[in-house]
């Protein structure tokens, strides 16, 4: 009898991770549960014991990444939320997350359907971004910035963090240096305590 490649309890996670990998390769249009099953070497019916349909799998994949991402960010600043370096610590954790999981960047920001409103706070905003904004606004208040300038400063800070993550996850870009140094040197501007 041929040995099955996955213990049943692990198949769900394998389908999720393989789904992320596959959607990055083929895009949303060509993504299917059948293709995920084939890539996992299981029957085309196997994913249906864990997911209702393709959209359900994509939703679970988004939640899977989001939970890990928000945990990583939260753990970086827990107990330090009012520390002057909280935003820097959060940025470093953001970069670390995508160093550890480069495959998640393309999926979460291009294929998962997340929402981020840079103009105003929205209850639909992607939770990791909402935490970044909340932390940034606390830092901006402590620095004495006028509230009307928060949005512009937030976009600038997030662009630096997100930009470094975008660069380091792009397989066509190589860099032998330390991404944390690039980030820290760019992120902390003269006279700022962020």
């Amino acid at each position: 009898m041929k040995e099955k490649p996955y213990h049943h309890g692990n198949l769900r996670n394998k389908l999720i991770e393989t789904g992320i990998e596959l959607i990055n390769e083929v895009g949303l249009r060509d993504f299917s549960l059948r293709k995920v099953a084939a890539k996992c070497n299981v029957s085309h019916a196997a994913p249906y014991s864990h997911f209702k349909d393709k959209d359900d799998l994509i939703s679970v994949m988004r939640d899977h990444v989001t939970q890990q991402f928000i945990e990583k960010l939260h753990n970086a600043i827990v107990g330090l939320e009012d520390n002057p370096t909280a935003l820097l610590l959060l940025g470093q954790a953001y970069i670390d997350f995508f160093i550890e999981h480069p495959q998640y960047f393309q999926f979460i920001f291009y294929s998962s359907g997340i929402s981020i409103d840079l103009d105003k706070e929205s209850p639909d905003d992607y939770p990791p971004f909402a935490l970044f904004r909340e932390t940034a606004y606390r830092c901006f208040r402590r620095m004495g910035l006028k509230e009307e300038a928060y949005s512009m400063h937030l976009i600038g800070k997030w662009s630096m963090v997100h930009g470094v993550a975008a660069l380091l996850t792009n397989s066509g870009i190589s860099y032998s240096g330390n991404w944390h140094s690039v980030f820290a040197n760019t992120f902390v501007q003269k006279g700022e305590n962020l």
Side-chain angles (χ1 to χ4, degrees):
M1 183 178 208
K2 190 174 181 182
E3 189 177 327
K4 293 186 179 183
Y6 307 107
H7 182 272
H8 182 70
N10 294 333
L11 180 57
R12 185 175 191 275
N13 281 339
K14 181 62 179 170
L15 291 165
I16 291 168
E17 290 293 340
T18 301
I20 292 168
E21 181 184 317
L22 183 65
I23 213 167
N24 287 343
E25 289 172 9
V26 302
L28 280 171
R29 199 177 96 233
D30 293 326
F31 181 76
S32 70
L33 283 179
R34 186 177 286 268
K35 288 180 181 177
V36 174
K39 210 165 168 66
C40 289
N41 296 318
V42 296
S43 77
H44 69 272
Y48 290 97
S49 62
H50 299 280
F51 310 104
K52 182 173 59 173
D53 56 24
K54 172 178 95 167
D55 292 334
D56 185 36
L57 173 56
I58 291 170
S59 175
V60 171
M61 288 165 22
R62 180 182 54 243
D63 294 346
H64 173 77
V65 172
T66 300
Q67 180 184 358
Q68 291 177 71
F69 194 12
I70 196 75
E71 226 173 81
K72 179 83 170 178
L73 297 178
H74 178 73
N75 288 342
I77 61 168
V78 70
L80 300 170
E81 292 87 353
D82 292 321
N83 189 297
T85 62
L87 195 55
L88 179 65
L89 295 171
L90 202 60
Q92 289 172 334
Y94 193 108
I95 289 166
D96 283 342
F97 182 73
F98 291 112
I99 287 173
E100 295 162 14
H101 308 284
Q103 74 281 12
Y104 290 171
F105 187 88
Q106 180 180 336
F107 165 71
I108 207 67
F109 291 108
Y110 296 102
S111 302
S112 73
I114 65 162
S115 175
I116 294 174
D117 190 334
L118 294 174
D119 292 321
K120 62 186 183 311
E121 292 182 51
S122 167
D124 296 328
D125 276 341
Y126 187 53
F129 176 77
L131 177 60
F132 188 87
R133 176 182 34 232
E134 179 185 310
T135 304
Y137 282 11
R138 256 197 315 274
C139 289
F140 299 161
R141 272 192 292 282
R142 191 175 40 258
M143 289 170 57
L145 290 178
K146 293 186 179 188
E147 197 168 328
E148 56 269 18
Y150 285 9
S151 182
M152 187 64 74
H153 283 276
L154 171 68
I155 292 169
K157 293 298 183 188
W158 186 58
S159 294
M160 286 182 235
V161 175
H162 192 73
V164 169
L167 291 173
L168 73 88
T169 58
N170 185 318
S171 62
I173 296 174
S174 60
Y175 174 63
S176 61
N178 183 310
W179 286 110
H180 287 111
S181 296
V182 170
F183 163 70
N185 289 331
T186 306
F187 196 75
V188 179
Q189 297 174 2
K190 201 173 220 172
E192 287 187 3
N193 205 8
L194 294 179

